[in-house]
Short mmCIF file of all heavy atoms in Angstrom, two decimals:
data_model
loop_
_atom_site.label_atom_id
_atom_site.label_comp_id
_atom_site.label_asym_id
_atom_site.label_seq_id
_atom_site.Cartn_x
_atom_site.Cartn_y
_atom_site.Cartn_z
N ALA A 16 17.20 9.32 32.54
CA ALA A 16 17.49 10.53 33.28
C ALA A 16 16.47 11.64 32.94
O ALA A 16 16.03 12.37 33.81
CB ALA A 16 18.91 11.01 32.98
N ASP A 17 16.07 11.71 31.69
CA ASP A 17 15.09 12.71 31.30
C ASP A 17 13.72 12.39 31.86
O ASP A 17 12.93 13.25 32.20
CB ASP A 17 15.01 12.83 29.76
CG ASP A 17 16.29 13.36 29.13
OD1 ASP A 17 17.01 14.17 29.85
OD2 ASP A 17 16.60 13.02 28.00
N LEU A 18 13.39 11.09 31.96
CA LEU A 18 12.16 10.67 32.57
C LEU A 18 12.11 11.13 34.00
O LEU A 18 11.09 11.71 34.44
CB LEU A 18 12.03 9.15 32.50
CG LEU A 18 10.89 8.50 33.27
CD1 LEU A 18 9.53 8.84 32.65
CD2 LEU A 18 11.08 7.02 33.36
N ALA A 19 13.16 10.92 34.74
CA ALA A 19 13.21 11.31 36.18
C ALA A 19 12.99 12.83 36.29
O ALA A 19 12.24 13.23 37.19
CB ALA A 19 14.56 10.88 36.77
N LYS A 20 13.62 13.60 35.44
CA LYS A 20 13.45 15.07 35.53
C LYS A 20 12.08 15.49 35.18
O LYS A 20 11.53 16.44 35.78
CB LYS A 20 14.44 15.75 34.57
CG LYS A 20 15.90 15.63 35.01
CD LYS A 20 16.77 16.31 33.93
CE LYS A 20 18.23 15.95 34.14
NZ LYS A 20 19.06 16.43 33.04
N ALA A 21 11.44 14.85 34.21
CA ALA A 21 10.08 15.23 33.75
C ALA A 21 9.02 14.89 34.80
O ALA A 21 8.01 15.65 34.89
CB ALA A 21 9.77 14.56 32.45
N ILE A 22 9.18 13.83 35.53
CA ILE A 22 8.08 13.37 36.40
C ILE A 22 8.13 13.94 37.80
O ILE A 22 7.15 14.02 38.49
CB ILE A 22 7.93 11.87 36.43
CG1 ILE A 22 9.14 11.20 37.10
CG2 ILE A 22 7.65 11.33 35.04
CD1 ILE A 22 9.05 9.70 37.30
N ALA A 23 9.35 14.32 38.22
CA ALA A 23 9.53 14.77 39.59
C ALA A 23 8.67 15.96 40.01
O ALA A 23 8.05 15.99 41.05
CB ALA A 23 11.04 15.05 39.91
N PRO A 24 8.58 17.05 39.16
CA PRO A 24 7.75 18.18 39.54
C PRO A 24 6.29 17.85 39.78
O PRO A 24 5.62 18.58 40.50
CB PRO A 24 7.89 19.13 38.36
CG PRO A 24 9.19 18.75 37.72
CD PRO A 24 9.27 17.26 37.91
N ALA A 25 5.81 16.75 39.24
CA ALA A 25 4.41 16.36 39.39
C ALA A 25 4.22 15.43 40.57
O ALA A 25 3.10 14.92 40.82
CB ALA A 25 3.86 15.72 38.11
N GLY A 26 5.28 15.11 41.32
CA GLY A 26 5.16 14.32 42.53
C GLY A 26 5.42 12.83 42.32
O GLY A 26 5.34 12.03 43.25
N PHE A 27 5.76 12.43 41.09
CA PHE A 27 6.11 11.06 40.83
C PHE A 27 7.56 10.85 41.23
O PHE A 27 8.41 11.70 41.16
CB PHE A 27 5.95 10.63 39.34
CG PHE A 27 4.51 10.61 38.91
CD1 PHE A 27 3.97 11.59 38.10
CD2 PHE A 27 3.73 9.48 39.19
CE1 PHE A 27 2.70 11.55 37.64
CE2 PHE A 27 2.39 9.46 38.77
CZ PHE A 27 1.87 10.47 37.98
N GLU A 28 7.92 9.64 41.58
CA GLU A 28 9.28 9.29 41.95
C GLU A 28 9.65 8.00 41.24
O GLU A 28 8.82 7.15 40.99
CB GLU A 28 9.44 9.11 43.46
CG GLU A 28 9.15 10.37 44.27
CD GLU A 28 9.22 10.19 45.75
OE1 GLU A 28 10.02 9.28 46.19
OE2 GLU A 28 8.54 10.85 46.46
N LEU A 29 10.98 7.82 41.07
CA LEU A 29 11.50 6.55 40.52
C LEU A 29 12.10 5.82 41.68
O LEU A 29 12.96 6.33 42.40
CB LEU A 29 12.54 6.82 39.42
CG LEU A 29 11.94 7.24 38.09
CD1 LEU A 29 13.10 7.76 37.19
CD2 LEU A 29 11.29 6.05 37.40
N VAL A 36 6.47 5.64 41.08
CA VAL A 36 5.52 5.59 42.19
C VAL A 36 4.92 6.93 42.48
O VAL A 36 5.53 8.01 42.12
CB VAL A 36 6.19 5.02 43.48
CG1 VAL A 36 6.64 3.58 43.25
CG2 VAL A 36 7.39 5.88 43.88
N ARG A 68 -2.18 10.84 33.53
CA ARG A 68 -1.45 12.09 33.93
C ARG A 68 0.02 11.98 33.62
O ARG A 68 0.64 12.91 33.06
CB ARG A 68 -1.66 12.25 35.45
CG ARG A 68 -1.09 13.54 35.97
CD ARG A 68 -1.59 13.77 37.40
NE ARG A 68 -0.92 13.02 38.36
CZ ARG A 68 0.08 13.45 39.09
NH1 ARG A 68 0.53 14.64 38.96
NH2 ARG A 68 0.62 12.62 40.00
N LEU A 69 0.62 10.80 33.84
CA LEU A 69 2.00 10.56 33.51
C LEU A 69 2.26 10.67 32.01
O LEU A 69 3.21 11.34 31.58
CB LEU A 69 2.40 9.18 34.00
CG LEU A 69 3.86 8.74 33.89
CD1 LEU A 69 4.77 9.74 34.64
CD2 LEU A 69 4.01 7.34 34.44
N LEU A 72 2.29 14.29 31.08
CA LEU A 72 3.56 14.96 31.47
C LEU A 72 4.69 14.72 30.51
O LEU A 72 5.55 15.60 30.29
CB LEU A 72 4.00 14.45 32.85
CG LEU A 72 3.25 14.90 34.06
CD1 LEU A 72 3.67 14.11 35.28
CD2 LEU A 72 3.54 16.37 34.28
N LEU A 73 4.65 13.54 29.87
CA LEU A 73 5.72 13.15 28.98
C LEU A 73 5.41 13.49 27.52
O LEU A 73 6.16 13.10 26.62
CB LEU A 73 5.97 11.63 29.10
CG LEU A 73 6.44 11.21 30.50
CD1 LEU A 73 6.56 9.67 30.58
CD2 LEU A 73 7.80 11.83 30.84
#
Side-chain angles (χ1 to χ4, degrees):
D17 294 331
L18 171 68
K20 289 178 194 173
I22 66 173
F27 290 104
E28 298 177 29
L29 283 167
V36 296
R68 187 168 75 98
L69 185 58
L72 285 170
L73 298 173

